Amino acid sequence: MLLHTIEEVREQVRKWKKEGLTVGLVPTMGALHDGHRSLIEKSVEKCDRTVVSVFVNPIQFCPGEDLDKYPRTLDEDCTLCDKIGADIVFAPSPKEMYGEGHILSNDFLTYVIPPYFYTDKLCGKSRVGHFDGVCTVVNKLFNIVQPDFAFFGKKDMQQLIILKKMVKDLNIPVQIISCPIVRNTEGLALSSRNKYLSEEGKKDALALSRLLLNIKVCYNKGIKDVRALAETAFSFLNEKHSLEYLEFRDGVTLEAKEVADDNTVVFVAAKVENVRLIDNIELK
Ligand code: AMP
């Protein structure tokens, strides 16, 4: 069932709750691929009812980013959700979510701002305000749908860590379910933005997953020094890659590691053909 308004979703969820059914929420920006599919499947399996939100959230895009050209494929998205067994696709307009006018400026909208310590690093460094936009929209979706469970991918590990922190700090009554990264057969992490890459670009992009996997192999062989592990990455990179960061951080607190351990996550971001790609690996 495709719904566009908050009121329609609330009404449907109210009925389900009255019947004592559990509700799962899978927030997405659409252009669904097998990564999203795995989240939706998990929700359908775990919950009595599943809501998939499809919303390209304007307030999480920075000036100059790809808000206007972000792929929008709502018909195909609905077909896929139907096939998997999701009950509602919630696809609101920006106006439905934020109202009219200047509301998108944070002079006119109440934002949920996660702690600076979590957002001044990794993607937050180049995407200033991005996680404020993410936390604000996810909080709104939680209030609209009131899910028992919400499903997020480890593909966006910093986002996942920040959302877990938000739920804990604000006592939001939802359980976050973390889902593994889905990759293509060669190892490239699936992303809606991969559509911007040429076939050659997709091959070049494999360097990210390969250097991460190699770091994990080295870690398992006993190399724990983060600088030594980072050194191993450079042989995977060439002039086609513009590296933004390669960092070793704690998987809960995002603190930097000097010595890698089982709680370490290795985060990488790089541009290939001017498309910004991110990936990560847990060393455990
Ligand atoms: P997006 O539509 O990019 O905002 O992503 C919606 C949700 O799908 C987020 O929780 C992402 O982390 C998750 N997701 C996106 N790509 C993947 C992937 N390759 N594997 C697992 N989860 C993913």
Side-chain angles (χ1 to χ4, degrees), residues 26 35 79-80 91 94 119 220 233 274:
V26 184
T79 308
L80 181 73
T119 60
N220 286 336
N274 220 24

Side-chain angles (χ1 to χ4, degrees), residues 26-39 53-55 60 70 134 151-157 159-160 163 177 179-184 188-194:
V26 184
T28 81
M29 297 208 298
L32 302 182
H33 50 65
D34 281 350
H36 301 109
R37 175 200 281 269
S38 71
L39 271 56
S53 61
V54 173
F55 180 58
Q60 71 184 67
Y70 197 85
V134 169
F151 298 78
F152 294 92
K154 290 183 178 177
K155 163 76 174 33
D156 300 281
M157 184 63 106
Q159 166 176 288
L160 177 62
L163 290 173
I177 309 290
C179 304
I181 301 176
V182 176
R183 301 175 177 282
N184 73 9
L188 177 64
L190 300 187
S191 161
S192 307
R193 290 191 169 98
N194 292 350

